[in-house]
Amino acid sequence: MSGNVIACQGTEGAYSQLAAKKLFPDGSFLYFRNFEAVATAVREDLCEFGVLPIENNTYGSVRDVYRILARQEVSIVRGCRLQIRHQLLANPGAVMSGIRKVYSHEQGLGQCAKFLHTLGDKVSLVPCLNTAVAARMVAESGDMEAAAISSPECADLYGLTVLKRGIADSDHNYTRFLCIAKESCVLPGADRISLIFTLPHRPGALACVLGKFADADMNLLKLESAPIPGRDFEFLFYADVEGSVNDPAVSAILEEIRGMCPDYRFLGNYHEI
Amino acid sequence: MSGNVIACQGTEGAYSQLAAKKLFPDGSFLYFRNFEAVATAVREDLCEFGVLPIENNTYGSVRDVYRILARQEVSIVRGCRLQIRHQLLANPGAVMSGIRKVYSHEQGLGQCAKFLHTLGDKVSLVPCLNTAVAARMVAESGDMEAAAISSPECADLYGLTVLKRGIADSDHNYTRFLCIAKESCVLPGADRISLIFTLPHRPGALACVLGKFADADMNLLKLESAPIPGRDFEFLFYADVEGSVNDPAVSAILEEIRGMCPDYRFLGNYHEI
């Protein structure tokens, strides 16, 4: 995919844009205030594609994005998994022993808690809207006592230097992103199917749906229940299963499941890079 | 429960403490920097009980807390559900038309997006560590142009007045909290069982576990898969089911399931208020 205009949430250099760049190396990017605006830009043909985060291995699913996918008429056409590599960035000439303020998104601060602890009590932490905003704030301030926890790409983007790499508590920190389009489209190699459904009020209803997938050897890649707003003891399920709707056995199983569920939405069939 | 010392994360007036107060109206509260420190305080007998958030109906599970429960030797003994009622607080004498800065936790800002939109572009948003910190910052600044999105309790606590109630996009905003203790203990009325388990690599393994619950008429209250850090295509499952371990049929089913799962941890059997 190339030459497309891609809708992203946030700021240049934020992880959403890094994911969009991984999916569309030659794309141009338009930035929107929130996830809803990204989906609206795609639905109203302002952008051909949009990129949205759907799950972080530490923080879980982005339920706001699921809600948008359930409601807006857009389809998932690709996915990507981005490793989050936090680094400590500062203005050129700054030294580690002089740092007194660390800016980052709250999750960035949380994910580097052990490293931040080694800096001692003299350092204050400043939560920002995202990690790219943190880097920009440090750059614009020119403050030699300030540093940002941000992506390596933001060092180049905002003229900062890397004070320390690999500062996250865990190496296994990644976020899954989805690429959405207005029209449903199954690209070659699509092997992941995303669904949202509700179940009838019957013990064993979920076991029955999962049994269908198992009978067809469709591996379950993700399953999550989420309360339905305003209905206290009812749940939506988000499920990802392996398979291609071009396989008649798979589409027959999906049709069967659609028939079993009071609400059912096929979000897309796509490949994750 | 009364007269106990309860460990909470955060600050007086933050939602964690409101939940602790709902669970222990006569308790004294000790505040800790993070969730891990709350669990450690309980495990090391510094506090008899601890209170931790486990799930928000909008933002999903607090996976950090699940990780702590899986690792630390503590048990869930009670639960509570707290409705989040955001209000706009300001210094006495401030008026709505004069507000230029709104402080809150990022989730508070996100949950009141529609209301904030009505204030127009002249208002800037300032993310804070939690909603109680936001209220305190407004109070300490004495700034008549500043307001905080926070709980009604923080108005009293920090001497602020309520500029506007009911500013959240949705009324259905609640967080579930857990009360943990060092020793496992099943209090009268316990009807919710929380488990963490992994499954053998066999299609249908989950359907089989859920089938056991269904056969015993144990309703599934929550189910979620979460990737295991460092093992790319393996999952943990978090499950809540209805039942009491004092019922021999229930404990027999749990024993059966324990036998089927490579990893299995019983987190507790408790009642949620």
Side-chain angles (χ1 to χ4, degrees), chain A residues 177-204:
Chain A
F177 289 86
L178 300 174
C179 171
I180 56 168
K182 189 175 176 183
E183 304 297 338
S184 172
C185 146
V186 180
L187 297 173
D191 54 4
R192 186 177 185 117
I193 294 166
S194 290
L195 305 172
I196 297 182
F197 55 86
T198 61
L199 288 170
H201 287 281
R202 218 178 23 236

Side-chain angles (χ1 to χ4, degrees), chain A residues 113-134:
Chain A
K114 285 183 196 160
F115 164 73
L116 291 170
H117 195 70
T118 66
L119 297 182
D121 282 347
K122 61 186 189 302
V123 171
S124 60
L125 307 180
V126 188
C128 306
L129 273 182
N130 64 49
T131 56
V133 165

Side-chain angles (χ1 to χ4, degrees), chain B:
Chain B
M1 301 184 187
S2 74
N4 302 294
V5 180
I6 320 300
C8 298
Q9 186 265 340
T11 315
E12 193 176 1
Y15 288 107
S16 271
Q17 193 242 339
L18 301 183
K21 193 132 185 96
K22 185 170 173 184
L23 284 159
F24 298 94
D26 302 316
S28 318
F29 307 101
L30 271 183
Y31 300 98
F32 293 85
R33 191 188 166 89
N34 55 38
F35 302 144
E36 187 82 45
V38 169
T40 302
V42 171
R43 198 171 36 81
E44 296 183 351
D45 288 323
L46 183 63
C47 296
E48 202 176 345
F49 298 103
V51 171
L52 294 169
I54 191 71
E55 183 176 17
N56 176 274
N57 68 321
T58 302
Y59 287 91
S61 292
V62 186
R63 288 194 185 169
D64 278 350
V65 171
Y66 271 108
R67 258 191 301 279
I68 290 164
L69 293 174
R71 213 181 48 240
Q72 291 243 26
E73 284 168 7
V74 291
S75 284
I76 307 169
V77 296
R78 286 293 284 276
C80 91
R81 186 181 283 227
L82 191 77
Q83 207 191 342
I84 307 300
R85 295 176 299 148
H86 292 308
Q87 304 196 343
L88 192 72
L89 311 182
N91 286 300
V95 291
M96 186 70 94
S97 57
I99 298 302
R100 292 291 176 272
K101 274 167 293 189
V102 179
Y103 294 75
S104 192
H105 187 271
E106 196 181 351
Q107 293 191 358
L109 296 172
Q111 289 164 3
C112 301
K114 284 181 197 160
F115 164 72
L116 290 170
H117 194 71
T118 65
L119 297 182
D121 283 345
K122 62 186 187 302
V123 172
S124 60
L125 307 181
V126 187
C128 305
L129 274 181
N130 63 49
T131 55
V133 165
R136 198 180 60 203
M137 285 171 72
V138 169
E140 286 176 356
S141 73
D143 185 345
M144 303 303 268
E145 295 192 342
I149 293 176
S150 188
S151 65
E153 288 80 358
C154 281
D156 293 341
L157 200 58
Y158 298 109
L160 298 173
T161 54
V162 177
L163 274 190
K164 197 166 164 64
R165 289 171 216 282
I167 57 174
D169 294 354
S170 161
D171 290 342
H172 301 288
N173 184 6
Y174 62 83
T175 299
R176 293 180 50 229
F177 290 85
L178 299 175
C179 171
I180 56 168
K182 190 175 175 183
E183 304 297 338
S184 172
C185 147
V186 180
L187 297 173
D191 54 3
R192 186 177 185 120
I193 294 166
S194 291
L195 305 171
I196 298 182
F197 56 86
T198 60
L199 289 170
H201 286 281
R202 219 179 22 237
L206 181 61
C208 181
V209 166
L210 298 182
K212 299 272 173 212
F213 289 131
D215 290 347
D217 273 329
M218 291 166 71
N219 260 326
L220 194 65
L221 300 173
K222 177 199 172 91
L223 179 68
E224 186 172 333
S225 65
I228 302 177
R231 286 189 277 166
D232 239 15
F233 293 97
E234 294 183 57
F235 300 99
L236 278 173
F237 287 89
Y238 311 136
D240 285 3
V241 289
E242 262 179 351
S244 160
V245 293
N246 293 326
D247 175 346
V250 167
S251 46
I253 291 286
L254 293 182
E255 272 312 300
E256 237 187 292
I257 288 169
R258 176 204 288 269
M260 295 161 69
C261 298
D263 308 279
Y264 172 95
R265 188 156 153 71
F266 172 82
L267 299 180
N269 186 188
Y270 55 100
H271 180 66
E272 190 174 88
I273 60 170

Side-chain angles (χ1 to χ4, degrees), chain A residues 107-185:
Chain A
Q107 294 191 357
L109 297 172
Q111 289 164 4
C112 300
K114 285 183 196 160
F115 164 73
L116 291 170
H117 195 70
T118 66
L119 297 182
D121 282 347
K122 61 186 189 302
V123 171
S124 60
L125 307 180
V126 188
C128 306
L129 273 182
N130 64 49
T131 56
V133 165
R136 198 180 59 202
M137 283 171 73
V138 169
E140 285 176 357
S141 73
D143 186 345
M144 303 304 267
E145 295 191 344
I149 293 176
S150 187
S151 65
E153 288 78 0
C154 282
D156 293 341
L157 199 59
Y158 297 110
L160 299 174
T161 54
V162 177
L163 273 190
K164 196 166 165 64
R165 289 172 217 282
I167 56 173
D169 293 354
S170 161
D171 290 342
H172 300 288
N173 184 4
Y174 62 83
T175 300
R176 293 180 50 230
F177 289 86
L178 300 174
C179 171
I180 56 168
K182 189 175 176 183
E183 304 297 338
S184 172
C185 146

